[in-house]
Amino acid sequence: MNTPFLPFTRPSIDEDTIADVANVLRSGWITSGPKVQAFEAVLSHYCGGRAVRVFSSGTATLEVALRLAKVGAHDDRPGGVQQDTVITTPLTWVATANVILAVGATPVFVDIDPVTRNLDLDQLEAAITAETKAIIPVDLAGLPVDRDRLYAIARKHGLRVIEDAAQSLGASWNGRPIGSTGDFVSFSFHANKNLTTGEGGALVLPADVDPALCERLRLQGVKRFPDGGMDVDMLGGKANLTDIAAAIGLGQMKHLTAFTERRRALARRYFEQIDPSIVAMGLELPPADFENANWHMFQPLLPDNAKRGVFIAAMKARGIGVGVHYPALHLFSLYRKLGWQEGDFPEAERVGRRTITLPLFPAMSEADVDRVCAAIKDSLPDCIER
Ligand SMILES: *Cc1c(COP(=O)(O)O)cnc(C)c1O
């Protein structure tokens, strides 16, 4: 039998959305316009009426949030240039830390909680210093960081929070959707995320930030006047979303709840179908959260003595795509050059070495999950180093 290749993820875009994208293309207006405004309105409604602005990427939203929070390098203090520090996790997509460097601030990493694989809140407070301005928590794989504990610490120390919720749109905390509470909240609509516009992102703004200022940071610092005139008195980037992309986002938003439910059902199926003998071999399953998490990814950890490259190749040979998200980022060359090294964050390193991302996306069937589990049972024993 010829079974088609099963990738680790694949977007679900319906025919109505494709037709609407075609409408935008025929309309004569394809960059930011009415579709962007409509998409922002739908996202704002989802986020309980909070102000939301969309961007060309999640990375851009994080960088703009840091600028809006006035985090960066300052030379207004005695002693010359002072760099703010921002606390985050080393186990995330590298964008989270890159934006801290991009605004001239210094990342401070706190190791992960080995159970949730998110920033360890037990270690967070000890990392806060006079230079700390903000925290960027990441909801890895769509499992939310404990918002109650996080904000209690942030409030106590007067720190801003920029939630990197790139992976957690559709997830919730205390029954409230991620994005509907908190300080800054950043979403990504990259092709692999739970809701996609191809590329794109959204920033949920706190009440003390003027959305007009956010718009100016998004587009060259341009301020427009009712008489048609304009001025530029600050430096802004170029990170607006197109109406083509916004039309995809509007179509996707109609399915967000169903996508999340489907992902949860498939994750449950994994827990039921993964063979106990594989778990006995040392495969570690992710936390079984079916209330808060949106199951952006299903990520077991391979046994310590398994060769990941061999396993991924064996799965591929069986027609199954397996991803790696992510190696601990402080071990990338750029960050090593800045002074980080092996052993700095042992839990993040351990997870980063062992993590695998199994196929999980709304269009998958239960039979697909079963096929993945059977392939693991077949492949894993041959990948163990003896
Ligand atoms: C995807 C992602 C980003 C960046 O989003 P882009 O839209 O690719 O710029 C940032 N942080 C995390 C955790 C992500 O998964």
Side-chain angles (χ1 to χ4, degrees):
M1 197 178 66
N2 231 345
T3 38
F5 187 79
L6 182 68
F8 73 82
T9 192
R10 188 198 295 146
S12 292
I13 313 237
D14 64 22
E15 289 304 320
D16 285 351
T17 303
I18 293 168
D20 205 33
V21 168
N23 289 338
V24 171
L25 292 173
R26 291 190 191 101
S27 73
W29 190 271
I30 60 177
T31 185
S32 310
K35 290 291 180 189
V36 160
Q37 285 193 358
F39 187 31
E40 286 177 342
V42 168
L43 287 164
S44 172
H45 178 76
Y46 177 82
C47 293
R50 302 180 72 195
V52 180
R53 292 296 179 270
V54 294
F55 287 77
S56 54
S57 75
T59 305
T61 68
L62 292 170
E63 189 173 330
V64 165
L66 286 167
R67 293 191 193 281
L68 288 167
K70 301 191 172 58
V71 174
H74 312 268
D75 56 10
D76 52 0
R77 289 183 249 177
V81 176
Q82 298 282 318
Q83 286 183 301
D84 297 326
T85 66
V86 179
I87 298 176
T88 192
T89 165
L91 195 73
T92 176
W93 176 228
V94 70
T96 313
N98 281 353
V99 292
I100 299 171
L101 295 174
V103 300
T106 304
V108 168
F109 299 111
V110 167
D111 206 353
I112 57 160
D113 172 331
V115 176
T116 65
R117 306 172 192 170
N118 286 329
L119 189 76
D120 186 350
L121 296 175
D122 287 335
Q123 296 187 49
L124 174 58
E125 237 179 326
I128 297 171
T129 67
E131 279 70 45
T132 310
K133 276 280 184 68
I135 308 167
I136 308 186
V138 178
D139 303 321
L140 191 68
L143 179 70
V145 171
D146 181 331
R147 295 297 195 271
D148 302 318
R149 284 189 69 196
L150 173 78
Y151 277 99
I153 296 169
R155 260 193 304 274
K156 182 174 161 196
H157 295 272
L159 302 177
R160 301 255 28 174
V161 176
I162 297 161
E163 298 181 20
D164 183 345
Q167 303 186 3
S168 56
L169 181 60
S172 57
W173 185 257
N174 284 342
R176 304 189 61 182
I178 296 299
S180 65
T181 63
D183 198 354
F184 293 95
V185 184
S186 156
F187 294 119
S188 165
F189 306 133
H190 173 267
N192 287 353
K193 300 292 166 33
N194 285 25
L195 184 139
T196 187
T197 60
E199 298 283 359
L203 183 62
V204 187
L205 298 171
D208 65 339
V209 166
D210 180 5
L213 191 58
C214 177
E215 290 170 10
R216 293 175 67 195
L217 286 170
R218 180 172 65 181
L219 213 151
Q220 313 291 8
V222 170
K223 189 195 258 176
R224 291 185 186 277
F225 302 115
D227 69 357
M230 65 168 83
D231 188 27
V232 177
D233 64 356
M234 65 183 289
L235 185 61
K238 165 66 182 172
N240 55 306
L241 192 73
T242 66
D243 263 22
I244 304 167
I248 305 173
L250 281 164
Q252 291 269 286
M253 277 302 280
K254 294 180 185 153
H255 301 284
L256 180 59
T257 305
F259 283 168
T260 305
E261 279 168 12
R262 184 71 193 139
R263 285 174 175 277
R264 283 179 182 155
L266 292 166
R268 271 187 200 281
R269 182 87 179 182
Y270 268 117
F271 280 96
E272 290 160 11
Q273 293 296 316
I274 283 187
D275 200 89
S277 71
I278 293 300
V279 176
M281 226 175 261
L283 185 100
E284 237 177 86
L285 292 170
D289 178 324
F290 298 103
E291 229 175 85
N292 298 312
N294 68 358
W295 291 94
H296 170 57
M297 296 187 281
F298 191 87
Q299 301 184 298
L301 306 184
L302 287 179
D304 253 328
N305 53 354
K307 288 184 249 164
R308 185 166 61 186
V310 176
F311 175 77
I312 291 172
M315 293 292 280
K316 194 173 173 195
R318 288 168 172 81
I320 292 163
V322 173
V324 172
H325 307 92
Y326 307 90
L329 74 88
H330 65 286
L331 299 179
F332 289 141
S333 304
L334 170 67
Y335 288 84
R336 284 181 191 263
K337 270 187 250 162
L338 294 171
W340 284 281
Q341 58 186 350
E342 209 122 350
D344 284 348
F345 309 106
E347 296 298 341
E349 290 168 26
R350 187 184 68 93
V351 173
R353 264 195 314 271
R354 296 171 55 195
T355 190
I356 52 165
T357 305
L358 298 180
L360 180 61
F361 52 89
M364 255 173 81
S365 67
E366 270 73 10
D368 288 329
V369 173
D370 300 355
R371 191 180 137 209
V372 175
C373 291
I376 296 172
K377 196 178 175 190
D378 264 6
S379 311
L380 191 59
D382 293 336
C383 305
I384 306 281
E385 243 165 337
R386 287 167 218 285

